[in-house]
Amino acid sequence: MALYLLRKFGQTVALLFVVSILVYALLYLAPGSVERTLLQGQPATPETLAAIREQFHLDDPFLAQYWRWVTGAVTGDFGSSIVERQPVTTVIGGRLEISATLAVMAIVLVLLTAIPLGMIAGLRQGKIADVLISGMSVVFLAAPVYATATILLYIFGIALGIFPVFGAGNGFVDRLWHLLLPAITLAIAQFAVVARQMRASVLGVESADYVTFARARGLTNSRILGAYTFRNSMLPVLTVTGLLLAGSLGGVVFIENIFSIPGLGSLLVESIRSKDMPVVQAIAILLATIVFAFNFIVDILYAVVDPRIRMTGGPR
């Protein structure tokens, strides 16, 4: 297990390096001018433009700019935002809490609905419950996030006036209320993935020999469902859920812009438009780290759910 964890850590560091240099290169080559963004349309002399480029080292070669950033990043210094003129950690810290709350709310909604409904669909294969749940999953999976967000925003925010239509609210309760409709929107597509995976897992486990043998031994249905069907069905679902929670931060970009939520996603869009490299780089590394971290957590949960994995020294 120790060797596996060490190998996993080395892979994570290498992938983070690749992500950082790719994002930096793409933003470096993207059209747009940092100087014009800072001047905000005001007339500028060649001297002013040259002074801005010198201040932010914009005339340095690509590798020199990247090396300056990466040597600071490994010590926790991600530089200062070109636009906000504040440390990047400060700029991101003020937005991260909102995005994290939204992502966690969405995945909680998914787990509370998709797992039991997916299990019901698997246990009632071919019956009305299975048809309804499977059909709903297909519809949810096919619906684009931005289209679902627009429809829900119009119906429940504008037409019915049940939910707020923009902002993140003030205070804990008010924030949860403001983020509930965006969280539902984000959870809809994720619900389809988890429910279908849970259904498929239940079907596979129910046809396994050890479940048939458990019934032959006279075990009760509740015992079989808890000790055999549910526990073994959760293994692939754990992987999907972990990836969805990490990937939900990507869907947050669309959701936050549609609902005008000042979170990490909207900050990323604003920073890309203004070519604020330090902020974009920091967000990219943060998102990549979150994805790798959840993959690692899923591997650990595998070992907790299935003792056979611990016996072999970790997932392969």
Side-chain angles (χ1 to χ4, degrees), residues 185-267:
T185 305
L186 188 59
I188 285 179
Q190 298 176 353
F191 166 88
V193 175
V194 175
R196 290 173 65 86
Q197 181 63 67
M198 188 66 185
R199 177 184 181 274
S201 298
V202 169
L203 290 176
V205 172
E206 281 290 291
S207 61
D209 292 337
Y210 57 84
V211 174
T212 303
F213 181 69
R215 289 198 175 95
R217 290 167 53 198
L219 297 181
T220 62
N221 287 333
S222 59
R223 175 73 183 278
I224 294 174
L225 287 177
Y228 294 89
T229 303
F230 178 76
R231 187 167 183 175
N232 288 283
S233 298
M234 284 299 296
L235 285 173
V237 175
L238 284 175
T239 301
V240 172
T241 304
L243 294 176
L244 284 176
L245 182 54
S248 64
L249 291 175
V252 161
V253 174
F254 296 101
I255 300 298
E256 289 182 352
N257 280 276
I258 293 174
F259 287 89
S260 300
I261 298 173
L264 204 62
S266 57
L267 175 63

Side-chain angles (χ1 to χ4, degrees), residues 26-296:
L26 290 173
L27 194 61
Y28 180 84
L29 297 173
S33 170
V34 176
E35 308 95 289
R36 298 296 180 184
T37 300
L38 291 175
L39 292 172
Q40 298 180 348
Q42 299 177 4
T45 63
E47 292 78 12
T48 303
L49 296 177
I52 293 176
R53 298 189 66 83
E54 180 180 2
Q55 178 183 356
F56 294 103
H57 306 282
L58 299 177
D59 288 326
D60 291 349
F62 167 75
L63 291 179
Q65 294 186 38
Y66 175 76
W67 179 253
R68 182 181 298 107
W69 176 85
V70 76
T71 51
V74 295
T75 62
D77 180 13
F78 291 91
S80 298
S81 168
I82 296 176
V83 177
E84 299 290 338
R85 307 293 181 89
Q86 295 179 359
V88 171
T89 51
T90 301
V91 176
I92 292 179
R95 306 283 194 107
L96 179 59
E97 180 186 355
I98 297 175
S99 297
T101 302
L102 177 57
V104 170
M105 288 178 63
I107 204 66
V108 168
L109 291 174
V110 170
L111 295 178
L112 291 178
T113 55
I115 289 179
L117 289 179
M119 192 165 185
I120 292 172
L123 294 174
R124 299 287 187 270
Q125 182 184 12
K127 297 183 179 179
I128 296 179
D130 179 28
V131 173
L132 290 177
I133 295 172
S134 299
M136 182 173 58
S137 299
V138 171
V139 173
F140 286 174
L141 188 62
V145 174
Y146 58 86
T148 304
T150 303
I151 293 173
L152 294 181
L153 179 63
Y154 177 77
I155 294 176
F156 296 101
I158 298 176
L160 300 179
I162 299 176
F163 294 103
V165 296
F166 65 90
N170 298 312
F172 180 74
V173 176
D174 190 39
R175 173 159 296 179
L176 292 181
W177 183 244
H178 274 74
L179 296 181
L180 182 57
L181 186 59
I184 294 173
T185 305
L186 188 59
I188 285 179
Q190 298 176 353
F191 166 88
V193 175
V194 175
R196 290 173 65 86
Q197 181 63 67
M198 188 66 185
R199 177 184 181 274
S201 298
V202 169
L203 290 176
V205 172
E206 281 290 291
S207 61
D209 292 337
Y210 57 84
V211 174
T212 303
F213 181 69
R215 289 198 175 95
R217 290 167 53 198
L219 297 181
T220 62
N221 287 333
S222 59
R223 175 73 183 278
I224 294 174
L225 287 177
Y228 294 89
T229 303
F230 178 76
R231 187 167 183 175
N232 288 283
S233 298
M234 284 299 296
L235 285 173
V237 175
L238 284 175
T239 301
V240 172
T241 304
L243 294 176
L244 284 176
L245 182 54
S248 64
L249 291 175
V252 161
V253 174
F254 296 101
I255 300 298
E256 289 182 352
N257 280 276
I258 293 174
F259 287 89
S260 300
I261 298 173
L264 204 62
S266 57
L267 175 63
L268 178 60
V269 173
E270 296 165 5
S271 301
I272 292 175
R273 288 173 180 170
S274 60
K275 294 195 70 171
D276 196 341
M277 286 190 178
V279 175
V280 176
Q281 276 291 94
I283 294 177
I285 293 300
L286 175 61
L287 295 180
T289 302
I290 291 174
V291 172
F292 299 144
F294 276 110
N295 283 335
F296 181 71

